[in-house]
Structure formats: C-alpha cells, structure tokens
Amino acid sequence: MNRSIRLMIALTLLLTASPLAADEPKRKMSGNPLFDGWYADPEAIIFGDTYWIYPTYSAPYDEQVFFDAFSSKDLVNWQKHPRILDNGAIKWAKRAMWAPAVVEKDGKYYFFFGANDIQNNDAHGGIGVAVADEPAGPFKDHLGKPLVDKFHNGAQPIDQFVFKDADGTYYLIYGGWRHCNIARLNDDFTGFIPFEDGTTFKEITPEGYVEGSFMFIRDGKYYFMWSEGGWTGPDYQVAYAIGDSPFGPFKRIDTVLKQDAKIATGAGHHSVIQVPGTDDYYAVYHRRPLDQTDGNARVTCIDRMEFDEKGFIKPIRITNEGVAAQPLK
C-alpha cells in the first residue's frame, strides 16, 4: 500500500472518530432512563466518591433470582456490575428477589432484600441479608435464613429500607400489604433489639401507605416517604409525611411523585440521594415508558427533588432529560 493511500485511510478514520470523541466530554445530562434494561425499585446511595444504584431486575417472579448494580462518578455515566448477588449464594431464595437496601457499617457492605413473595406465615422466605467487602460484591448470605420471615402487624416482609438515625442507631423499615413496621437492628445485623415496651416490630403506617418505604433527616425533621397505588398501573405514586422521630406519628402531607401522561406512567418506588455538604437532593425511581403495557416493563430514572421555604417537598417533575452531571468532591 503506497504512502498516499495509507494517509487517506488514516485521515478518514480520524474524521470518523472525531465527532464521537468530541461529543463524549460534552455529555452533561444523564437522560432518562439512566441505563438500559428493565429495572425497578432502585436503592440509590453514596459510598465514598461514587454513586450507586441497586435495583430489582424487573421480570416475571421466577426469573427474579439475581441482582445487578450500577455505579457512577457523576450521575451521568453509569457502569454495570452484573450479578453481584444471586440465589446461588442465597440457598433459601427461590424467586421474587426484590428491592435492595444497602448500607456500609464497619467496613462491610450489607445488602438487604426480599425473596419468595411469601403470602402467609407458613411459606418460607421474607427479608434476607447478604454481606460483602466491596459495594460491588460479591455478596454472600449473612444469616443462612431470612431475617424477617413472618407477618408482623399485617405487614408482608418486603420492600425493606435500612435507616441510620442521627444517634447511629440502625432501623429496618419495611412492609407491604398496606402495613409498615419499624424495628431496631442489632450491631451485626443478625437480629433485632426489642424496644423498651418489649415489642420488636412497631407499626408506623400512614394513611395511603402501600409499600416502598424510605426515610431521611433534613433540618432535624424525619421525612417518611412511601408508594401508593398498584405497581402495575399508571396510578403508582409516591407520597410523604414529616415527623419528629423515626416513629412519627406520620400524617400524610401530599403526593410528590407521579405519572406525567406526556413522559411516562407508574412513577414510584423511589429512593433519595443527598449530595454531602449541599442541599441538593435527587429522587431515583422507576417508571413505565408510554409505549409499554407489560407490568414488568419498568426503567430506572432520576430527577431533582426540591423543598419550599417551609421545608415541604415540591412536586417532582419527571423528565426525559434527567439531571446534570454532579461529581462528588
């Protein structure tokens, strides 16, 4: 091949590649959904300088036997970590592995999940715990059995969230079937510490609650959020209450996240990220694209969550654009 032909080929390759290379640094918005695939019930959390999302793999129950995770340095570019936990590591989990809640404690990462969609106290399953040395796993079974395997106060043992209070106490907040419980976890997350009155599970169910609990503290107030409606329908939405402690009482204030007939339906089962040292909050949630009718056709999205001057949450506007890049410092 003569020199002039080689030069022409090299120039052609350079011109072809240049637009892609030039476009990459200019990508400043995340877009929605955040990543490809059917994923729901996202747990979003920050570990160090990295954002993490742990979702449910959205598929028929018998196919829900593993979890993937996603990480990002800036909320815009996401890396997939496949099969960080599956039912090969959790021998008692047979199906319907749902709604991760992940926390770091003493250098270990604890992964709480629901499994088997139990319908009564005679079925085997409930809320389990796995543990790993890194946020991307691999995770292994922490107990060899479920942590919660019965219905207490009418709450199905699903949709768990682990809340760390300002005093360092960890609570498990969970529940389906329109009931929500709170229980105080022990130091190694192998069980619970009963409350002063001798009970282990206290019901904190607000009006309208169905499932999908989430809690955070802002300006000394406890914000409790949950999902309402049917998860396969367009009416799935998120409401909230504000209390003075993790136990409430919680009186429903308003709906803050719901469908937009021009964008998507079924917006719900969310989590919240606060960027450390700022008042920047993001809601990470799932929704159903307008061209989809399958209940499992759910995608993970992110949009800003803001507050008014009285501390109430403003309605969250769901978008196709998502959010701007925000690297962690």
Side-chain angles (χ1 to χ4, degrees):
M1 185 184 297
N2 65 43
R3 185 171 179 272
S4 61
I5 293 175
R6 288 199 304 269
L7 186 60
M8 288 177 63
I9 292 173
L11 183 60
T12 300
L13 290 172
L14 180 63
L15 290 174
T16 302
S18 292
L20 294 175
D23 284 349
E24 192 62 32
K26 293 180 181 179
R27 186 172 179 234
K28 298 186 181 297
M29 300 295 291
S30 66
N32 277 325
L34 288 176
F35 34 77
D36 293 336
W38 301 129
Y39 292 99
D41 315 330
E43 162 88 344
I45 191 167
I46 294 170
F47 292 131
D49 64 352
T50 305
Y51 300 96
W52 287 84
I53 294 178
Y54 300 88
T56 298
Y57 172 60
S58 191
Y61 289 4
D62 288 341
E63 298 175 23
Q64 293 177 319
V65 293
F66 67 90
F67 293 101
D68 298 328
F70 299 83
S71 65
S72 174
K73 297 292 187 181
D74 59 5
L75 293 177
V76 169
N77 301 287
W78 292 87
Q79 177 185 354
K80 181 177 180 179
H81 304 268
R83 289 187 176 261
I84 62 168
L85 175 66
D86 61 32
N87 66 341
I90 311 294
K91 301 303 183 184
W92 57 266
K94 304 302 180 185
R95 66 199 295 263
M97 297 178 74
W98 290 343
V102 185
V103 294
E104 183 275 331
K105 185 176 188 291
D106 299 331
K108 297 284 187 179
Y109 296 85
Y110 295 88
F111 188 110
F112 293 73
F113 60 94
N116 298 351
D117 184 33
I118 65 171
Q119 301 294 301
N120 54 62
N121 285 335
D122 295 324
H124 188 50
I127 295 171
V129 191
V131 64
D133 294 324
E134 302 291 341
F139 287 86
K140 62 181 181 181
D141 199 341
H142 187 45
L143 302 176
K145 61 181 182 179
L147 174 68
V148 182
D149 63 354
K150 296 289 189 290
F151 284 67
H152 301 281
N153 303 318
Q156 186 187 25
I158 62 167
D159 286 7
Q160 54 292 315
F161 173 66
V162 178
F163 173 67
K164 183 181 180 180
D165 203 354
D167 65 0
T169 303
Y170 289 85
Y171 295 97
L172 184 73
I173 303 172
Y174 75 92
W177 288 16
R178 301 183 181 276
H179 292 276
C180 182
N181 287 332
I182 185 170
R184 182 168 55 184
L185 287 157
N186 64 13
D187 285 342
D188 59 2
F189 298 158
T190 58
F192 300 98
I193 301 172
F195 296 111
E196 288 70 18
D197 63 2
T199 62
T200 299
F201 301 93
K202 287 187 176 295
E203 186 166 7
I204 57 170
T205 309
E207 177 190 0
Y209 178 93
V210 173
E211 59 193 19
S213 308
F214 192 87
M215 187 178 288
F216 65 94
I217 303 173
R218 182 179 183 269
D219 293 340
K221 295 292 186 179
Y222 290 77
Y223 288 73
F224 181 40
M225 308 181 77
W226 63 89
S227 291
E228 302 177 341
W231 69 271
T232 60
D235 62 335
Y236 205 51
Q237 60 186 22
V238 172
Y240 82 108
I242 300 175
D244 294 322
S245 83
F247 307 97
F250 293 109
K251 181 175 175 57
R252 188 185 192 279
I253 294 174
D254 203 357
T255 300
V256 290
L257 177 66
K258 60 183 180 181
Q259 69 167 334
D260 181 330
K262 296 180 180 178
I263 302 291
T265 64
H269 201 127
H270 79 309
S271 55
V272 174
I273 301 172
Q274 180 198 4
V275 178
T278 76
D279 200 37
D280 293 335
Y281 286 78
Y282 299 95
V284 181
Y285 61 97
H286 74 240
R287 69 194 195 197
R288 188 166 294 105
L290 292 175
D291 62 350
Q292 297 293 326
T293 57
D294 184 347
N296 288 309
R298 297 174 290 176
V299 293
T300 293
C301 300
I302 185 171
D303 281 298
R304 277 195 169 272
M305 188 175 81
E306 299 176 319
F307 303 81
D308 67 17
E309 64 279 0
K310 295 182 179 179
F312 294 115
I313 302 174
K314 296 180 180 180
I316 299 166
R317 185 173 69 91
I318 69 172
T319 70
N320 290 320
E321 295 78 19
V323 300
Q326 186 159 358
L328 293 164
K329 297 178 180 179

